[in-house]
Amino acid sequence: MSVQTETRTLPSKRVERRAARARRIREPRTDRIFLFCVYLLLAVFFVIVLAPLLYIVASSFSSPEAVSAGRVLFWPVDFSLRGYHAVFENPQIVQGYLNSLFYTVVGTIVSVTMTIAIAYPMSRRTLVGRNVVMTAILFTMLFTGGLIPTYLVVQSVGLLDTRWALIIPQAIGVWQVIIARTYFRTAIPDELVEAAQLDGCGDLRFLWSVVIPLAKPMIAVVALMYAIMQWNSYFDALIYLKNPDLFPLQLVLRNILILNTTGGGAVDASVVIQRQQLADLLKYSLIVVASVPVLVIYPFVARYFTKGILIGAVKG
Amino acid sequence: MATLTTVRPPAGETPVRRRRRRERPGVQGLRRSLRRHWTLYLLMVVPLVWFVIFKYIPMSNAVLAFKSFNVIKGIWGSPWVGWQNFDLFFHNPVFWTLVKNTFILSVYTVAASFPIAIILALALNEVRNGVFKRSVQLVTYAPYFISTVVVVSMTILVLSPRLGIVNEGLGFFGVPSIDFLGNPEYFRHIYVWSDVWQTTGYSAVIYLAALSGIDPALHESAKLDGASRLQRIRHVDLPGIMPTAVIILVLAVGNIMAIGFEKAFLLQNPLNLSQSEIIATYVYKTGLLNADFSGATAIGLFNSVINLALLLMVNAIAKRITGNGLWS
C-alpha cells in the first residue's frame, strides 16, 4: 500500500477515496444496520448510567433555591458552593469522614496482612495439610452461623462498640484469599523456591524479599478491594456501634440522607424554609463528597480490578 | 538437612514423578512438613484462629436455634427447646410473606440483571476499540464502586415526590407526582432496576473477558462462510461464554435466599413494608431490635440451610446439563 502511494504521481482525492473503500472489507447492509443498533444501544446504556450521576453533581453545585424549585437538570443553576460549605461545617460528617479514613487505612492493612499470611502457606505445594485447611476456609463461603451467633461472638470477645468491631470481624475475605493463593501459585515458580532454599533462604525471608515484591500488582488489587469494601460498608457499624463518635461516614450518611435527621430546632417560618432548602442541597453535596474518593481512584484501578476478579474466577 | 530433601531431580525425571515425590501424606509427612515449614505454619496461626473465632464458633453458636436463650446462662447453659423456635416461625403469619418477598425479589433481580449484563458485554464486544467503547465501559462500570447507602439515597432523591427529577419529568407530561417509595407496588421495581443500574457494567466485565478468550479463527471462518454479525453472536459468542454464564447463574440462583440485607433495609419504610420485608431484615429486627436471639437464630439458620440446599441442587443440575459446575 505504501509502495502504491509513493509511485503514484498525481493523486486525485476521488481515486484515493475509492481505493480506500475498496480496500476495506465491505460489510453486508444488514450488518451495518445491526452495528448501528449496537452503537445506539451502548449510547442508551451510557446515558442511563450517566444521567443520575450528572443530575446529582449538577444539583450539588447549585443554589439551595434552585434545587428546591426543581430547576436543576444536568448543569448547575445559580452556581454556588453552599452545599459543600454546609457539608464541611457539619461536625458529624467531618467526624464520620475521619473515622472512615481510619477504618479504611487500618482495616486494609490488617486485612491484607492476614490474607497474605494465610494465602501464601496455602500456595506452597510441599505444605502438608493445606488441602484440609483450604476446604475448611472455603466451607465458610457456603455456610455461615448467621447474624445473631456472629453478633454474640463479637460481644463475647469484647469488641462491641469499639473501633475494632469494624476491623476485626470482617478482616479476611475468602474471595481475596482465593485470589492471593491463585496468584502466588501461578506467578511464583516452584524453581524459585527451590533455588532460594538451596541458597539457605528461609520461608519467611523468601516470602518477604521475593514473593511480596513479585506479587505487588495482586496485593494492590486485594488492598483496593478491601479498602473500597471498608469505605462503603455500613452494616457492621449499624449492628456493632452505639457511640455516634465512632460512626463511619456511611452510617452518618444513612442517618442524614435516608432517615432525614439533621440537628437544630425550628425558629421561625422563613428560617425553617431556608434550613429545609439547605438540608435538601446538603444531601446532593454529601453524596458527591462521600463518593469522590472512590470514583477518583476508580478509573486508574479499574483495569487491575478486572484482573483481580478474573484471577479469582479462574479456579474457585 | 533441609536442603537434602529439596535437591532438584535429574532433568530426565517426569513432572508426575516429581510431584509424587514431594507430596508425602500421612503423619510422617506432616511431621516432616512441620519441621521444614514451621515458620509458615506459625504464619497461619493468627488467620486460622480468626477463622475459628469469627466463622466456626458462630456456626456452633447456631445451636441457639434449638434453645431458649438466657443471657445469664449463656449459649451452652440455656435450656433446650427442640424445634419450638422453628415452629413459632413457621406458624407466624408473616412467614409466607417473608419467604415470598425474599424469593420474588431475588428471582426478579437475577432475571433482570443476568441477561442485561450479557447483552451489554456482547454489544461492547461488537464495537471497535476506541474512545467510545472505553467511555461506555468506564461509565457503566463506575456505579459498582458507589456505596449502597449512596445508591439508595440517589434513588430516593431522584424518585422523591417533592423534588425528584422523575416526578418533574412526569409533571411535564401532566402526570400527577407519584410517591414511588411510599407505594409498596413500586418497591420491587425500584430495588431491581437500581441494582441493574449499579451492577450491569461490573457483571459485563466477566463476560467480556470470556468473549476475548474466544478463538478469533472461529469468527474468521464464520465470516468467510457468510455469517452475519447477529449469526456470529448467536453461534460463536454465545456458546463461547456459556460456561461462564452457567457458573454465574448457578451462583446467583444458589444465593437466591441470601439476598442482601443492606439495600432492602435502606429502601424500607413503614409504607412499603408489605413488599420490602425480607428474611434478612426480619432477622435483624427480631434479633437485635426485639432481642429475641433464639428466634432470630432459628430464622437465620433456616435461611442458611435452604440456601445451601439450593446451591448444591442448582450446581448438580447445571453439571448434569452442561458439564460445568462450581466444583468441576
Side-chain angles (χ1 to χ4, degrees):
Chain A
M1 193 182 70
S2 58
V3 179
Q4 219 175 16
T5 41
E6 273 164 30
T7 50
R8 203 158 46 203
T9 40
L10 258 173
S12 110
K13 277 247 165 85
R14 216 211 244 142
V15 172
E16 216 171 314
R17 216 178 296 149
R18 195 176 297 158
R21 209 180 300 153
R23 252 182 267 126
R24 213 168 47 201
I25 299 167
R26 288 288 297 274
E27 294 205 44
R29 198 185 151 84
T30 48
D31 268 11
R32 271 179 293 160
I33 296 171
F34 178 71
L35 196 60
F36 175 76
C37 294
V38 166
Y39 272 98
L40 203 67
L41 182 74
L42 287 175
V44 169
F45 268 110
F46 183 80
V47 169
I48 289 178
V49 175
L50 195 60
L53 295 173
L54 264 184
Y55 167 68
I56 299 284
V57 174
S59 297
S60 78
F61 284 107
S62 303
S63 72
E65 294 79 19
V67 171
S68 296
R71 284 192 283 129
V72 184
L73 209 54
F74 299 118
W75 200 252
V77 175
D78 302 341
F79 182 87
S80 93
L81 291 173
R82 286 177 57 196
Y84 290 94
H85 281 296
V87 165
F88 290 110
E89 276 164 13
N90 185 324
Q92 256 183 311
I93 295 172
V94 176
Q95 178 76 43
Y97 218 92
L98 295 177
N99 286 341
S100 274
L101 276 179
F102 172 82
Y103 295 133
T104 305
V105 172
V106 177
T108 305
I109 292 170
V110 170
S111 296
V112 169
T113 313
M114 298 261 273
T115 303
I116 294 174
I118 187 75
Y120 179 65
M122 294 286 101
S123 75
R124 289 287 296 267
R125 290 179 220 284
T126 48
L127 202 85
V128 174
R130 67 180 203 292
N131 287 331
V132 179
V133 176
M134 201 60 206
T135 311
I137 291 174
L138 290 178
F139 181 70
T140 64
M141 263 182 143
L142 294 180
F143 190 79
T144 55
L147 174 70
I148 300 299
T150 312
Y151 177 86
L152 288 173
V153 167
V154 173
Q155 188 182 39
S156 63
V157 290
L159 290 179
L160 223 53
D161 216 13
T162 68
R163 285 185 189 275
W164 298 105
L166 299 197
I167 292 169
I168 308 288
Q170 298 298 328
I172 304 178
V174 178
W175 193 238
Q176 281 77 3
V177 173
I178 295 172
I179 292 176
R181 172 171 164 262
T182 311
Y183 191 91
F184 287 142
R185 261 213 311 225
T186 50
I188 318 280
D190 286 350
E191 285 70 21
L192 208 56
V193 185
E194 286 164 9
Q197 277 171 339
L198 278 181
D199 289 342
C201 172
D203 283 331
L204 279 191
R205 172 132 181 257
F206 182 70
L207 170 63
W208 182 254
S209 34
V210 178
V211 174
I212 290 181
L214 276 178
K216 264 185 197 154
M218 179 278 293
I219 293 172
V221 169
V222 168
L224 280 164
M225 287 173 124
Y226 280 125
I228 289 176
M229 239 156 48
Q230 187 67 253
W231 181 267
N232 282 346
S233 77
Y234 82 94
F235 181 57
D236 281 0
L238 178 76
I239 57 177
Y240 297 138
L241 298 183
K242 294 270 176 306
N243 181 358
D245 290 341
L246 301 181
F247 282 1
L249 183 65
Q250 299 298 331
L251 198 58
V252 177
L253 286 183
R254 178 219 171 212
N255 293 343
I256 293 177
L257 293 168
I258 295 165
L259 302 182
N260 270 318
T261 48
T262 33
V267 193
D268 70 85
S270 70
V271 176
V272 171
I273 290 175
Q274 262 185 7
R275 195 172 276 165
Q276 179 62 49
Q277 288 182 340
L278 197 60
D280 286 337
L281 175 63
L282 178 126
K283 289 182 180 177
Y284 295 92
S285 310
L286 194 47
I287 286 176
V288 176
V289 168
S291 309
V292 154
V294 176
L295 288 185
V296 162
I297 55 167
Y298 146 72
F300 304 102
V301 302
R303 208 154 39 97
Y304 301 102
F305 221 88
T306 311
K307 262 184 210 152
I309 304 166
L310 299 176
I311 295 172
V314 171
K315 227 177 186 179
Chain B
M1 179 199 66
T3 48
L4 263 183
T5 55
T6 56
V7 171
R8 295 181 67 170
E13 221 170 345
T14 58
V16 180
R17 275 194 60 193
R18 237 173 95 186
R19 176 162 296 179
R20 198 187 302 147
R21 200 179 59 85
R22 279 191 204 165
E23 198 110 15
R24 282 197 191 78
V27 181
Q28 200 202 343
L30 179 64
R31 204 178 297 146
R32 194 188 299 246
S33 173
L34 267 174
R35 207 180 315 132
R36 208 172 127 194
H37 293 305
W38 66 273
T39 47
L40 289 184
Y41 284 104
L42 207 63
L43 198 63
M44 283 160 59
V45 167
V46 176
L48 284 184
V49 168
W50 181 90
F51 269 103
V52 170
I53 294 180
F54 291 103
K55 295 289 173 184
Y56 279 92
I57 294 184
M59 279 185 214
S60 69
N61 278 359
V63 295
L64 208 56
F66 302 97
K67 292 186 162 217
S68 168
F69 185 60
N70 182 321
V71 184
I72 299 150
K73 288 181 184 160
I75 297 166
W76 295 98
S78 300
W80 293 95
V81 294
W83 295 90
Q84 188 192 308
N85 292 317
F86 293 92
D87 262 355
L88 273 178
F89 178 53
F90 295 149
H91 291 111
N92 190 326
V94 298
F95 172 74
W96 283 113
T97 319
L98 288 180
V99 172
K100 201 182 89 189
N101 284 348
T102 310
F103 187 75
I104 294 180
L105 201 58
S106 299
V107 171
Y108 187 5
T109 309
V110 174
S113 47
F114 179 70
I116 292 183
I118 294 182
I119 290 172
L120 177 61
L122 290 174
L124 280 168
N125 195 45
E126 286 298 300
V127 171
R128 239 178 316 128
N129 285 314
V131 183
F132 179 74
K133 183 175 177 177
R134 256 181 291 137
S135 11
V136 171
Q137 262 194 292
L138 202 65
V139 166
T140 50
Y141 198 173
Y144 179 72
F145 293 86
I146 298 174
S147 75
T148 315
V149 176
V150 167
V151 169
V152 170
S153 312
M154 282 174 61
T155 313
I156 292 174
L157 284 175
V158 167
L159 296 177
S160 142
R162 195 162 51 89
L163 313 165
I165 191 170
V166 171
N167 272 314
E168 295 283 336
L170 289 179
F172 184 77
F173 294 106
V175 181
S177 94
I178 301 168
D179 183 9
F180 288 101
L181 279 150
N183 199 330
E185 65 180 279
Y186 293 116
F187 173 79
R188 284 179 190 141
H189 306 298
I190 295 170
Y191 183 99
V192 169
W193 293 103
S194 60
D195 214 63
V196 169
W197 179 82
Q198 190 179 10
T199 58
T200 300
Y202 167 80
S203 316
V205 167
I206 296 165
Y207 297 115
L208 272 175
L211 283 169
S212 70
I214 292 174
D215 188 356
L218 288 175
H219 273 290
E220 291 300 325
S221 53
K223 225 185 272 181
L224 282 179
D225 289 346
S228 69
R229 276 176 178 270
L230 197 60
Q231 282 170 322
R232 271 182 280 140
I233 287 180
R234 185 155 148 25
H235 297 286
V236 180
D237 286 344
L238 275 181
I241 59 172
M242 207 41 129
T244 315
V246 166
I247 288 181
I248 302 233
L249 195 63
V250 166
L251 277 175
V253 174
N255 280 319
I256 271 197
M257 296 308 276
I259 190 160
F261 164 94
E262 302 208 347
K263 199 168 164 191
F265 182 69
L266 291 174
L267 277 171
Q268 251 177 20
N269 59 46
L271 295 174
N272 62 22
L273 217 51
S274 63
Q275 305 252 320
S276 63
E277 189 80 295
I278 58 172
I279 295 180
T281 55
Y282 190 73
V283 167
Y284 167 75
K285 286 173 191 170
T286 16
L288 293 180
L289 301 186
N290 299 337
D292 175 11
F293 283 10
S294 316
T297 306
I299 303 171
L301 189 63
F302 161 76
N303 204 4
S304 293
V305 169
I306 297 268
N307 208 37
L308 185 58
L310 260 177
L311 188 65
L312 296 177
M313 205 172 73
V314 175
N315 189 48
I317 294 172
K319 219 179 212 172
R320 178 154 306 170
I321 295 174
T322 64
N324 296 301
L326 292 180
W327 309 277
S328 48

